[in-house]
């Protein structure tokens, strides 16, 4: 039986034009009927496509028609079904963010890359950090802090000088953003099943936002974060181009 494909793309003209050509060549059965979803664009397009897979868990094969494209394969139009059939699989579990804002309202969201907390004003954030119910830092004065997955460790986390994590490491990175006090704290590596709680000191006077990837909640008072292993996402990579290999290459880049 031939592979049934559905194409998803970003708003970039290059991605839109690529979709037209690929649909003309391979057809598009729609996401409900597809065996594999093909994402066209950059890493943002891949993340948007993956978020829609929380319901059906269908594998996603990305091709770079954007800028960064760390999560994408090279864009080639020939032999696409054969490339997908030979592709290597990487399975990811997202982070679940539970945030309570200063009005007492609860917000939930899933993050594939990271959950980040950021100050909303010129005043620095003051945060209390607990891991598995035990206080680990009474007060972190900073611009913010994040919990990153292995897939997200090469994104915002790396820009904040956090560690790069192999996909199979079963670890999370807890990384400060511009820590002022304690100034020399560089973060921590946590087990993948760690329960992280972050409490905001004086949230009305020092407001902080929380974002699960690009899903933001303003003026939070408390945020809890844990890996949701009930959700499994599958990404497909060309042989020799798998996410594990790309993360390893990134660790030796200068």
């Amino acid at each position: 039986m031939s592979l049934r494909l559905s194409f998803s793309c970003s708003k970039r003209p290059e991605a839109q034009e690529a979709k037209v050509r690929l649909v003309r060549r391979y057809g598009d059965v729609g996401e409900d009927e597809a065996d594999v979803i093909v994402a066209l664009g950059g890493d943002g397009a891949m993340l948007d496509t993956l978020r829609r897979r929380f319901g059906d868990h269908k594998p996603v094969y990305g091709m770079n028609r954007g800028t960064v494209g760390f999560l994408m394969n090279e864009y080639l139009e020939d032999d696409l079904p054969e490339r997908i059939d030979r592709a290597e699989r990487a399975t990811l579990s997202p982070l679940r963010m539970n945030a309570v804002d200063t009005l007492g309202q609860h917000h939930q969201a899933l993050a594939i890359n990271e959950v980040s907390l950021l100050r909303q004003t010129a005043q620095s954030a003051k945060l209390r950090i607990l891991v598995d119910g035990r206080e680990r830092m009474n007060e972190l004065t900073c611009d913010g802090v994040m919990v990153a997955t292995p897939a997200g460790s090469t994104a915002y986390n790396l820009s904040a000088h956090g560690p790069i994590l192999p996909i199979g490491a079963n670890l999370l990175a807890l990384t400060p953003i511009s820590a002022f006090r304690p100034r020399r704290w560089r973060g921590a590596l946590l087990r993948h099943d760690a329960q992280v709680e972050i409490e905001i000191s004086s949230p009305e006077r020092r407001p902080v936002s929380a974002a699960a990837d690009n899903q933001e909640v303003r003026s939070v008072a408390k945020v809890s974060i844990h890996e949701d292993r009930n959700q499994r996402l599958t990404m497909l990579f060309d042989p020799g181009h798998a996410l594990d290999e790309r993360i390893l290459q990134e660790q030796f880049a200068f």
Side-chain angles (χ1 to χ4, degrees), residues 119-125 142-143 205-207:
R119 63 184 174 96
Q120 293 178 201
T121 68
Q123 285 190 302
S124 58
C142 57
D143 281 355
R205 187 162 60 89
R206 296 175 179 268

Side-chain angles (χ1 to χ4, degrees), residues 192-209:
H192 73 91
D193 56 356
Q195 303 279 330
V196 181
E197 293 183 24
I198 303 171
E199 298 176 356
I200 291 79
S201 302
S202 304
E204 291 83 6
R205 187 162 60 89
R206 296 175 179 268
V208 171
S209 66

Side-chain angles (χ1 to χ4, degrees), residues 26 50 90 126 130 140 161 208 210 235 237 251:
Y26 298 106
L50 284 171
K126 291 192 175 183
L130 300 93
L140 170 65
H161 307 291
V208 171
M235 303 170 64
F237 293 95
Q251 294 181 80

Side-chain angles (χ1 to χ4, degrees), residues 200-243:
I200 291 79
S201 302
S202 304
E204 291 83 6
R205 187 162 60 89
R206 296 175 179 268
V208 171
S209 66
D213 291 339
N214 62 355
Q215 305 162 89
E216 186 184 38
V217 179
R218 305 283 285 181
S219 299
V220 295
K222 180 179 179 180
V223 178
S224 61
I225 304 157
H226 69 275
E227 186 184 66
D228 189 344
R229 288 243 159 168
N230 292 322
Q231 295 286 355
R232 307 289 280 179
L233 301 174
T234 302
M235 303 170 64
L236 303 177
F237 293 95
D238 292 332
H241 196 69
L243 197 54

Side-chain angles (χ1 to χ4, degrees), residues 15 33 69 82 91 117 125 130-131 135 143 152 164 187 199 208 210 231 233 246:
E33 301 299 325
E82 290 78 9
T91 303
L117 280 72
L130 300 93
V131 178
E135 181 182 276
D143 281 355
I164 297 174
E199 298 176 356
V208 171
Q231 295 286 355
L233 301 174
R246 301 185 73 185

Side-chain angles (χ1 to χ4, degrees), residues 164-203:
I164 297 174
L165 304 178
I167 287 296
N170 283 330
L171 293 171
L172 301 174
L174 175 62
T175 303
I177 304 168
S178 301
F180 179 71
R181 187 176 293 113
R183 192 183 298 275
R184 295 187 179 181
W185 187 60
R186 294 292 180 263
L189 292 176
L190 308 177
R191 285 170 49 105
H192 73 91
D193 56 356
Q195 303 279 330
V196 181
E197 293 183 24
I198 303 171
E199 298 176 356
I200 291 79
S201 302
S202 304

